[in-house]
Protein backbone atom coordinates (compact mmCIF):
# COMPACT_ATOMS: atom_id res chain seq x y z
CA UNK A 1 0.00 0.00 0.00
CA UNK A 2 1.31 3.43 -0.92
CA UNK A 3 2.22 5.88 1.83
CA UNK A 4 3.03 9.60 1.87
CA UNK A 5 6.59 8.95 0.66
CA UNK A 6 5.85 6.31 -1.98
CA UNK A 7 6.29 8.62 -4.99
CA UNK A 8 9.44 10.11 -3.49
CA UNK A 9 10.88 6.66 -2.73
CA UNK A 10 10.55 5.67 -6.39
CA UNK A 11 12.93 8.47 -7.33
CA UNK A 12 15.45 8.50 -4.48
CA UNK A 13 15.21 4.98 -3.04
CA UNK A 14 15.37 3.95 0.60
CA UNK A 15 18.81 5.48 1.07
CA UNK A 16 17.58 8.82 -0.21
CA UNK A 17 14.55 8.69 2.07
CA UNK A 18 16.82 7.97 5.04
CA UNK A 19 19.20 10.77 4.10
CA UNK A 20 16.38 13.31 3.79
CA UNK A 21 14.77 12.20 7.03
CA UNK A 22 18.05 12.65 8.90
CA UNK A 23 18.69 16.10 7.43
CA UNK A 24 18.30 19.28 9.45
CA UNK A 25 17.41 22.49 7.58
CA UNK A 26 17.07 26.00 9.03
CA UNK A 27 14.69 28.32 7.17
CA UNK A 28 15.14 31.99 8.00
CA UNK A 29 12.04 33.98 7.10
CA UNK A 30 8.54 32.57 6.58
CA UNK A 31 7.15 35.03 4.06
CA UNK A 32 6.10 34.09 0.55
CA UNK A 33 9.44 32.48 -0.28
CA UNK A 34 10.30 30.89 3.06
CA UNK A 35 6.87 29.43 3.84
CA UNK A 36 6.62 27.73 0.44
CA UNK A 37 10.19 26.47 0.80
CA UNK A 38 9.50 25.02 4.25
CA UNK A 39 6.31 23.38 3.01
CA UNK A 40 8.14 21.79 0.06
CA UNK A 41 10.97 20.57 2.29
CA UNK A 42 8.56 18.79 4.62
CA UNK A 43 6.57 17.34 1.72
CA UNK A 44 9.91 16.31 0.21
CA UNK A 45 10.87 14.16 3.18
CA UNK A 46 13.17 16.44 5.19
CA UNK A 47 12.87 15.20 8.76
CA UNK A 48 14.14 18.12 10.85
CA UNK A 49 13.37 21.81 10.33
CA UNK A 50 14.16 24.93 12.30
CA UNK A 51 11.78 27.78 11.41
CA UNK A 52 12.77 31.37 12.19
CA UNK A 53 10.47 34.40 11.94
CA UNK A 54 9.11 37.05 14.29
CA UNK A 55 6.10 38.30 12.32
CA UNK A 56 2.42 37.48 12.49
CA UNK A 57 0.24 36.80 9.46
CA UNK A 58 -1.32 39.96 7.99
CA UNK A 59 -4.08 40.41 5.38
CA UNK A 60 -1.56 41.60 2.77
CA UNK A 61 0.25 38.25 3.07
CA UNK A 62 -2.68 36.27 1.65
CA UNK A 63 -1.77 36.85 -1.99
CA UNK A 64 1.52 34.92 -1.79
CA UNK A 65 2.29 33.13 1.50
CA UNK A 66 1.61 29.42 2.02
CA UNK A 67 0.60 30.05 5.64
CA UNK A 68 -1.65 33.06 5.02
CA UNK A 69 -5.41 32.53 5.15
CA UNK A 70 -8.27 34.52 6.60
CA UNK A 71 -8.27 31.98 9.43
CA UNK A 72 -4.57 32.53 10.27
CA UNK A 73 -4.50 36.36 10.31
CA UNK A 74 -2.93 37.53 13.57
CA UNK A 75 -1.25 34.21 14.38
CA UNK A 76 2.53 33.95 14.65
CA UNK A 77 4.00 32.69 11.40
CA UNK A 78 6.21 30.13 13.13
CA UNK A 79 3.18 28.62 14.84
CA UNK A 80 1.15 28.37 11.63
CA UNK A 81 4.09 26.88 9.75
CA UNK A 82 4.75 24.35 12.50
CA UNK A 83 1.10 23.25 12.46
CA UNK A 84 1.18 22.92 8.67
CA UNK A 85 4.40 20.89 8.77
CA UNK A 86 2.99 18.49 11.36
CA UNK A 87 -0.24 18.16 9.38
CA UNK A 88 1.82 17.14 6.35
CA UNK A 89 4.09 14.78 8.27
CA UNK A 90 3.25 14.07 11.93
CA UNK A 91 6.73 12.59 12.39
CA UNK A 92 8.67 15.67 11.27
CA UNK A 93 10.78 17.25 14.01
CA UNK A 94 10.00 20.98 14.09
CA UNK A 95 11.67 23.66 16.17
CA UNK A 96 10.65 27.30 16.00
CA UNK A 97 12.42 30.52 16.83
CA UNK A 98 10.04 33.45 17.22
CA UNK A 99 12.62 36.23 17.17
CA UNK A 100 14.02 39.09 15.13
CA UNK A 101 17.46 38.08 13.88
CA UNK A 102 20.26 40.58 13.40
CA UNK A 103 24.03 40.64 13.19
CA UNK A 104 24.35 41.16 16.96
CA UNK A 105 22.18 38.27 18.18
CA UNK A 106 22.58 35.65 15.45
CA UNK A 107 25.40 33.67 17.08
CA UNK A 108 23.70 33.65 20.46
CA UNK A 109 20.33 32.60 19.05
CA UNK A 110 21.78 29.79 16.96
CA UNK A 111 23.90 28.48 19.84
CA UNK A 112 20.68 27.17 21.39
CA UNK A 113 20.05 24.80 18.48
CA UNK A 114 21.78 21.90 16.83
CA UNK A 115 23.89 22.91 13.83
CA UNK A 116 21.85 22.67 10.62
CA UNK A 117 23.05 20.86 7.51
CA UNK A 118 21.89 23.71 5.26
CA UNK A 119 20.58 27.24 5.83
CA UNK A 120 17.88 28.78 3.65
CA UNK A 121 17.95 32.58 3.67
CA UNK A 122 14.49 33.92 2.83
CA UNK A 123 14.96 37.20 4.73
CA UNK A 124 14.38 40.61 3.13
CA UNK A 125 16.80 42.78 5.09
CA UNK A 126 20.18 43.17 3.42
CA UNK A 127 22.28 43.58 6.55
CA UNK A 128 20.75 40.45 8.05
CA UNK A 129 21.30 38.52 4.82
CA UNK A 130 24.98 39.41 4.93
CA UNK A 131 25.23 38.51 8.62
CA UNK A 132 23.55 35.18 7.98
CA UNK A 133 25.85 34.41 5.05
CA UNK A 134 28.93 35.27 7.14
CA UNK A 135 27.65 33.08 9.98
CA UNK A 136 27.10 30.17 7.59
CA UNK A 137 30.56 30.55 6.05
CA UNK A 138 32.23 30.80 9.45
CA UNK A 139 30.41 27.67 10.65
CA UNK A 140 31.00 25.78 7.42
CA UNK A 141 27.29 25.44 6.69
CA UNK A 142 26.06 25.49 3.07
CA UNK A 143 23.62 28.35 2.47
CA UNK A 144 21.30 29.32 -0.36
CA UNK A 145 20.03 32.90 -0.37
CA UNK A 146 16.90 34.24 -2.08
CA UNK A 147 17.26 37.59 -3.77
CA UNK A 148 14.45 39.95 -4.75
CA UNK A 149 11.18 38.69 -6.26
CA UNK A 150 9.15 41.85 -5.72
CA UNK A 151 7.91 43.77 -8.77
CA UNK A 152 8.72 40.77 -10.98
CA UNK A 153 6.25 38.86 -13.17
CA UNK A 154 8.21 36.28 -15.18
CA UNK A 155 9.32 33.17 -13.25
CA UNK A 156 11.27 31.90 -16.26
CA UNK A 157 13.82 34.63 -15.50
CA UNK A 158 14.66 33.03 -12.14
CA UNK A 159 18.05 31.33 -11.96
CA UNK A 160 20.63 30.03 -9.53
CA UNK A 161 23.98 31.76 -9.58
CA UNK A 162 26.94 32.85 -7.53
CA UNK A 163 26.35 36.34 -6.16
CA UNK A 164 29.28 37.79 -8.11
CA UNK A 165 27.76 36.54 -11.38
CA UNK A 166 24.30 38.07 -10.90
CA UNK A 167 23.00 40.88 -13.05
CA UNK A 168 19.97 43.17 -13.44
CA UNK A 169 18.65 42.48 -9.90
CA UNK A 170 18.83 45.66 -7.73
CA UNK A 171 18.91 43.65 -4.51
CA UNK A 172 21.87 41.63 -5.78
CA UNK A 173 23.70 44.81 -6.66
CA UNK A 174 23.27 46.19 -3.15
CA UNK A 175 24.12 42.82 -1.64
CA UNK A 176 27.39 42.70 -3.58
CA UNK A 177 28.37 46.15 -2.27
CA UNK A 178 27.67 45.26 1.35
CA UNK A 179 29.31 41.87 0.95
CA UNK A 180 32.55 43.44 -0.27
CA UNK A 181 32.74 45.88 2.64
CA UNK A 182 32.00 43.09 5.13
CA UNK A 183 34.52 40.60 3.80
CA UNK A 184 31.84 38.15 2.70
CA UNK A 185 32.90 35.36 0.39
CA UNK A 186 30.93 34.56 -2.74
CA UNK A 187 27.72 32.60 -2.16
CA UNK A 188 24.95 30.73 -3.94
CA UNK A 189 21.80 32.73 -4.64
CA UNK A 190 18.50 32.49 -6.45
CA UNK A 191 17.79 35.71 -8.35
CA UNK A 192 15.65 37.11 -11.15
CA UNK A 193 17.21 38.58 -14.28
CA UNK A 194 13.93 40.34 -15.07
CA UNK A 195 13.79 44.14 -15.02
CA UNK A 196 11.49 45.08 -12.12
CA UNK A 197 8.20 46.85 -12.76
CA UNK A 198 8.37 50.46 -11.59
CA UNK A 199 5.81 51.29 -8.91
CA UNK A 200 5.38 54.65 -7.17
CA UNK A 201 5.55 54.49 -3.38
CA UNK A 202 2.44 55.49 -1.46
CA UNK A 203 2.69 58.22 1.16
CA UNK A 204 1.71 56.30 4.29
CA UNK A 205 3.92 57.00 7.30
CA UNK A 206 2.35 54.14 9.27
CA UNK A 207 2.92 51.46 6.66
CA UNK A 208 4.65 48.28 7.84
CA UNK A 209 5.47 46.97 4.38
CA UNK A 210 7.23 48.96 1.67
CA UNK A 211 4.37 50.22 -0.51
CA UNK A 212 6.55 50.52 -3.62
CA UNK A 213 7.00 46.74 -3.65
CA UNK A 214 4.31 44.72 -5.37
CA UNK A 215 4.21 40.93 -5.56
CA UNK A 216 2.57 38.48 -7.93
CA UNK A 217 0.88 35.54 -6.24
CA UNK A 218 3.08 32.97 -7.95
CA UNK A 219 6.57 34.49 -7.79
CA UNK A 220 7.52 33.95 -4.10
CA UNK A 221 6.05 30.41 -3.99
CA UNK A 222 7.96 29.43 -7.14
CA UNK A 223 11.13 30.84 -5.60
CA UNK A 224 10.46 28.87 -2.42
CA UNK A 225 9.94 25.67 -4.38
CA UNK A 226 13.18 26.28 -6.28
CA UNK A 227 15.07 26.82 -3.03
CA UNK A 228 13.66 23.54 -1.71
CA UNK A 229 14.85 21.80 -4.88
CA UNK A 230 18.34 23.21 -4.34
CA UNK A 231 18.38 21.94 -0.76
CA UNK A 232 17.04 18.48 -1.55
CA UNK A 233 19.36 17.97 -4.51
CA UNK A 234 22.28 19.10 -2.35
CA UNK A 235 21.30 16.55 0.32
CA UNK A 236 21.00 13.78 -2.26
CA UNK A 237 24.24 14.63 -4.04
CA UNK A 238 26.05 11.51 -5.15
CA UNK A 239 23.06 9.15 -5.08
CA UNK A 240 22.19 9.57 -8.76
CA UNK A 241 25.69 8.60 -9.87
CA UNK A 242 25.55 5.21 -8.19
Amino acid sequence: MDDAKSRLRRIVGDEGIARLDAARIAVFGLGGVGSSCAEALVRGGVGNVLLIDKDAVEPSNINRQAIAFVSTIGRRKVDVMRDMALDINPDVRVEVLDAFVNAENLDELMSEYEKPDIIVDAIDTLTVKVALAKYAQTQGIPIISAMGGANKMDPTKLEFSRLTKTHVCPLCREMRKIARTNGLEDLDVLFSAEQPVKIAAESRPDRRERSELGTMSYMPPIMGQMLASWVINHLLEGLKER
Side-chain angles (χ1 to χ4, degrees):
M1 181 177 177
D2 285 352
D3 58 28
K5 296 181 180 179
S6 296
R7 297 297 182 94
L8 180 62
R9 187 176 289 106
R10 293 173 193 172
I11 298 176
V12 304
D14 290 335
E15 184 179 349
I17 291 291
R19 190 181 292 190
L20 292 169
D21 184 67
R24 177 176 174 78
I25 310 300
V27 181
F28 284 77
L30 295 175
V33 176
S35 61
S36 287
C37 178
E39 178 188 3
L41 291 174
V42 175
R43 291 190 187 278
V46 170
N48 303 270
V49 290
L50 171 61
L51 309 171
I52 303 99
D53 201 299
K54 181 59 178 175
D55 291 334
V57 178
E58 298 183 354
S60 63
N61 301 153
I62 290 176
N63 87 310
R64 65 195 183 280
Q65 298 186 10
I67 52 176
F69 302 88
V70 171
S71 61
T72 61
I73 291 173
R75 291 187 60 196
R76 310 308 302 178
K77 290 184 178 181
V78 289
D79 295 334
V80 180
M81 192 74 249
R82 175 179 54 202
D83 290 349
M84 177 183 287
L86 291 169
D87 202 16
I88 294 167
N89 176 12
D91 295 323
V92 69
R93 281 77 68 188
V94 183
E95 292 180 286
V96 299
L97 176 56
D98 185 9
F100 287 115
V101 176
N102 56 49
E104 289 70 38
N105 67 9
L106 180 57
D107 286 289
E108 181 180 355
L109 289 174
M110 290 302 291
S111 68
E112 301 295 321
Y113 299 92
E114 184 181 342
K115 183 177 177 180
D117 297 303
I118 298 175
I119 289 175
V120 174
D121 162 27
I123 294 175
D124 295 329
T125 308
L126 273 171
T127 54
V128 181
K129 295 179 86 67
V130 172
L132 187 55
K134 289 193 70 173
Y135 170 82
Q137 291 176 359
T138 300
Q139 296 294 320
I141 303 170
I143 182 170
I144 181 68
S145 183
M147 296 290 109
N151 297 353
K152 306 290 181 71
M153 299 182 67
D154 185 357
T156 67
K157 294 298 198 312
L158 291 167
E159 59 183 281
F160 290 106
S161 173
R162 299 291 278 175
L163 179 62
T164 55
K165 302 296 184 181
T166 56
H167 52 98
V168 178
C169 174
L171 186 64
C172 290
R173 183 169 56 249
E174 294 303 314
M175 181 80 168
R176 289 195 301 268
K177 292 178 183 177
I178 299 175
R180 283 195 297 268
T181 59
N182 284 268
L184 179 66
E185 299 174 11
D186 207 359
L187 73 153
D188 292 303
V189 301
L190 173 63
F191 83 105
S192 170
E194 178 186 3
Q195 289 287 352
V197 177
K198 293 183 179 180
I199 299 176
E202 299 177 21
S203 179
R204 294 186 317 190
D206 62 334
R207 70 178 187 264
R208 292 192 60 190
E209 293 186 346
R210 293 175 58 188
S211 62
E212 74 276 15
L213 298 182
T215 314
M216 298 302 294
S217 62
Y218 50 81
M219 284 295 290
I222 290 173
M223 293 179 71
Q225 295 278 335
M226 290 180 69
L227 292 177
S229 77
W230 189 96
V231 170
I232 288 174
N233 279 286
H234 191 96
L235 293 171
L236 297 176
E237 199 169 279
L239 280 183
K240 294 179 181 179
E241 286 73 28
R242 296 182 184 180

